[in-house]
């Protein structure tokens, strides 16, 4: 389950590796995110997934949910605004800080998935704003699709800025 997550994260780091901090913080347009803001958003998303998953584990109720089509999140022709708690800050950030935070949130997601039995992860859930109730195993897998979606966004930003 985590191999895909690790592969996508590796692709993200390769895609941004040749950019300096100024380039990472540059926006293609005022209403668009910079690459650094996309990276921060990924960090915020991983943190909230782990937080909500840990809360879901504490609930007594077990639930079986159908597999959700979260692979559809790769379709970037449809846009969903990130809720306020997943919006990155507007001020520029350092790559060292964002990278450290991304490594910590990715490790937390990895630890969560590895330290809990897959049957337990499939028996607990919390809702996704678009796909509805998803079990925790689906949430761990969804994280990779979410990051792959934003990998495409990062590539678009680079192209728009001529990098």
């Amino acid at each position: 389950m985590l191999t895909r997550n690790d592969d996508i994260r590796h692709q993200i780091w390769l895609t941004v590796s040749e950019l300096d901090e100024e380039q990472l913080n540059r926006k293609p347009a005022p209403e668009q995110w910079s690459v650094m803001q996309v990276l921060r958003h990924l960090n915020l998303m991983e943190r909230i997934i782990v937080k909500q998953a840990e809360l879901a584990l504490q609930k007594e109720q077990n639930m079986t949910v159908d597999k959700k089509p979260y692979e559809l999140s790769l379709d970037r022709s449809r846009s969903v605004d990130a809720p306020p708690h997943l919006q990155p800050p507007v001020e520029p950030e350092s790559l060292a800080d964002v990278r450290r935070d991304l490594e910590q949130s990715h490790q937390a997601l990895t630890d969560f998935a590895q330290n809990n039995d897959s049957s337990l992860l499939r028996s607990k859930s919390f809702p996704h704003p678009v796909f509805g109730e998803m079990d925790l195993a689906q949430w761990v897998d969804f994280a990779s699709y979410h990051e792959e979606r934003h990998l495409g966004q990062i590539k678009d930003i680079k192209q728009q800025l001529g990098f």
Side-chain angles (χ1 to χ4, degrees):
M1 170 174 17
L2 294 167
T3 302
R4 187 174 200 291
N5 299 61
D6 292 340
D7 289 346
I8 298 298
R9 180 59 61 89
H10 179 72
Q11 289 178 47
I12 288 171
W13 289 128
L14 285 176
T15 302
V16 304
S17 65
E18 75 280 358
L19 300 177
D20 63 33
E21 213 157 273
E22 187 278 325
Q23 292 169 320
L24 289 165
N25 278 294
R26 193 181 309 165
K27 293 178 170 190
E31 71 282 354
Q32 289 181 276
W33 285 352
S34 67
V35 170
M36 193 74 80
Q37 287 176 302
V38 173
L39 296 174
R40 176 57 74 189
H41 167 73
L42 296 177
N43 165 245
L44 295 171
M45 185 67 170
E46 271 184 331
R47 285 178 33 201
I48 200 73
I49 289 172
V50 172
K51 180 181 177 185
Q52 292 299 317
E54 287 172 345
L55 290 172
L57 284 181
Q58 296 172 14
K59 294 180 182 175
E60 299 263 338
Q61 181 182 7
N62 288 344
M63 180 180 285
T64 301
V65 296
D66 293 333
K67 169 83 169 70
K68 298 302 189 282
Y70 50 82
E71 297 86 359
L72 295 174
S73 60
L74 295 177
D75 177 3
R76 293 184 49 246
S77 69
R78 298 174 194 216
S79 181
V80 177
D81 288 336
H85 64 285
L86 295 176
Q87 292 277 341
V90 293
E91 55 278 342
E93 293 193 79
S94 77
L95 179 59
D97 289 346
V98 173
R99 186 175 192 114
R100 178 201 64 230
D101 293 349
L102 267 166
E103 288 172 358
Q104 288 174 352
S105 62
H106 192 69
Q107 189 61 53
L109 182 66
T110 300
D111 291 348
F112 176 81
Q114 289 177 337
N115 294 335
N116 291 287
D117 185 77
S118 61
S119 62
L120 178 63
L121 296 179
R122 287 191 302 275
S123 72
K124 305 290 184 177
S125 64
F126 66 95
H128 184 279
V130 174
F131 300 112
E133 205 69 28
M134 291 187 350
D135 67 45
L136 305 185
Q138 290 181 67
W139 272 105
V140 171
D141 192 41
F142 166 76
S144 70
Y145 287 90
H146 177 257
E147 291 207 2
E148 185 175 354
R149 175 188 180 91
H150 286 292
L151 173 59
Q153 181 184 12
I154 289 168
K155 289 176 180 177
D156 286 351
I157 292 168
K158 285 177 57 178
Q159 182 179 21
Q160 289 172 325
L161 293 173
F163 302 147

